[in-house]
Amino acid sequence: MARKPANDNPLAPVTIAVGQEDLLLDRALQEVVAAARAADADTDVRDLTSDQLQPGTLAELTSPSLFAERKVVAVRNAQDLSADTIKDVKAYFGAPVEEITLVLLHAGGAKGKGLLDAARKAGAREVACPKMTKPADRLAFVRGEFRALGRSATPEACQALVDSIGSDLRELASAVSQLAADVEGTIDEAVVGRYYTGRAEASSFTVADRAVEGRAADALEALRWSLATGVAPVMITSALAQGVRAIGKLSAARGGRPADLARELGMPPWKIDRVRQQMRGWTPDGVAVALRAVAEADAGVKGGGDDPEYALEKAVVTIARAARSRR
């Protein structure tokens, strides 16, 4: 979620929202507009693109009014402003107009960096809106969305939502909002499954995750849901194979930081942390048994057996039992 400054006054003369996460940039602007309209319901909001702010335009928009109205002037993609317009904006930093809040939405990076540096030097309020590329960041975002709505969701439900929806924050926020509106009480993994599980990649890996965690009943439920929603059995065996192999790789690896192990094993660091949690209870013999079960299931779903669904159920149960061999 957007990171706020220590001195967080939305009505500061200048706010810079910096980053490439569109939802967070929009929310940073919405926060300023909401604060301005709370102070003055008749606040005038001018939402401009960079090409609409030409040299001299800012002076016109911020010129004194007979009615001393409150105004919010927002400029999107501020990194694309022309050199002459940037001069106008920098000059404005030195003498901002009372009752006017200037909001610059900037992608960050090298382009237009001089404008950001000048804003920071002038004491502008800054809201960081970085692109959320890590699953852990998206998981924290979902938890924050539920908290903001005053709702309780289990950790498993939050993870299932991220697994099902993916990386689009707007979709994640919309899904949280829908669940909060439709579901009473604590939102759990089963509820998320009924609403959102069913995308082929997400649901197949949900089956694998529950199996390698030793949660046979949950894995079977996810398996049946996946098959009912049209997920190809071969995708599920592939996910099971990846899950078990990850357990085996990490079990045999030297200890160390996730970043070091990630380079050694060819996994992203976030997956190292996740597999470490999943591998509790596994033994080398258990990994061997699980790999055989996956191989048998793979043969079963590719024509070596009469009932692919049964082959998958048998593999899921065997893997879940193997995951609990040390417990």
Side-chain angles (χ1 to χ4, degrees):
M1 60 194 68
R3 293 195 298 271
K4 297 181 180 180
N7 181 18
D8 187 36
N9 177 12
L11 295 182
V14 178
T15 287
I16 51 174
V18 185
Q20 298 180 31
E21 194 62 71
D22 288 341
L23 174 64
L24 301 185
L25 290 166
D26 284 346
R27 285 186 173 181
L29 173 56
Q30 290 165 10
E31 182 184 25
V32 173
V33 171
R37 286 185 169 155
D40 181 351
D42 295 325
T43 293
D44 181 20
V45 178
R46 304 295 180 93
D47 191 344
L48 309 174
T49 58
S50 57
D51 60 334
Q52 291 176 310
L53 195 71
Q54 296 296 317
T57 304
L58 184 60
E60 294 176 10
L61 292 173
T62 57
S63 60
S65 167
L66 290 175
F67 303 101
E69 64 181 357
R70 182 174 289 278
K71 186 180 293 185
V72 174
V73 178
V75 183
R76 298 179 183 272
N77 298 313
Q79 71 278 359
D80 295 329
L81 290 171
S82 68
D84 287 339
T85 303
I86 288 176
K87 290 179 182 177
D88 288 351
V89 177
K90 287 181 177 179
Y92 180 81
F93 292 158
V97 179
E98 190 176 355
E99 301 297 309
I100 292 180
T101 300
L102 175 64
V103 183
L104 302 176
L105 282 64
H106 193 295
K111 189 176 184 181
K113 185 175 181 297
L115 179 62
L116 285 182
D117 291 342
R120 288 165 177 153
K121 186 176 181 180
R125 168 180 178 263
E126 181 170 355
V127 181
C129 306
K131 198 75 176 175
M132 292 192 182
T133 58
K134 298 179 180 179
D137 291 339
R138 294 192 287 273
L139 184 59
F141 172 80
V142 167
R143 289 171 177 162
E145 291 292 289
F146 279 120
R147 283 196 300 270
L149 293 172
R151 297 303 307 276
S152 175
T154 66
E156 293 79 11
C158 295
Q159 184 65 63
L161 197 59
V162 172
D163 289 344
S164 299
I165 300 297
S167 60
D168 191 307
L169 287 200
R170 292 189 188 278
E171 288 192 29
L172 285 170
S174 176
V176 169
S177 180
Q178 181 178 2
L179 288 169
D182 291 357
V183 180
E184 296 182 358
T186 299
I187 296 164
D188 60 19
E189 187 177 11
V191 170
V192 174
R194 288 198 297 271
Y195 272 73
Y196 297 105
T197 302
R199 302 183 184 193
E201 181 179 338
S203 55
S204 61
F205 281 104
T206 298
V207 176
D209 284 340
R210 300 298 88 81
V212 300
E213 290 164 3
R215 297 162 57 182
D218 293 338
L220 288 172
E221 181 181 356
L223 171 63
R224 289 161 188 154
W225 176 267
S226 298
L227 294 172
T229 54
V231 178
V234 68
M235 292 192 68
I236 299 174
T237 55
S238 175
L240 290 170
Q242 289 185 47
V244 174
R245 287 173 187 151
I247 297 288
K249 283 183 178 181
L250 193 55
S251 298
R254 303 186 306 272
R257 298 180 304 164
D260 296 332
L261 288 170
R263 286 191 293 271
E264 180 183 341
L265 302 179
M267 297 181 191
W270 66 264
K271 189 169 184 180
I272 297 292
D273 291 333
R274 187 165 184 174
V275 175
R276 272 179 168 166
Q277 295 176 352
Q278 292 174 334
M279 64 188 285
R280 296 168 185 162
W282 281 90
T283 65
D285 288 343
V287 173
V289 168
L291 287 173
R292 284 196 296 271
V294 172
E296 291 172 4
D298 190 53
V301 303
K302 292 179 179 176
D306 297 328
D307 190 345
E309 184 173 338
Y310 172 74
L312 285 169
E313 288 185 356
K314 181 180 177 182
V316 163
V317 171
T318 301
I319 292 168
R321 287 176 178 167
R324 302 178 65 87
S325 56
R326 186 179 285 164
R327 302 178 190 181

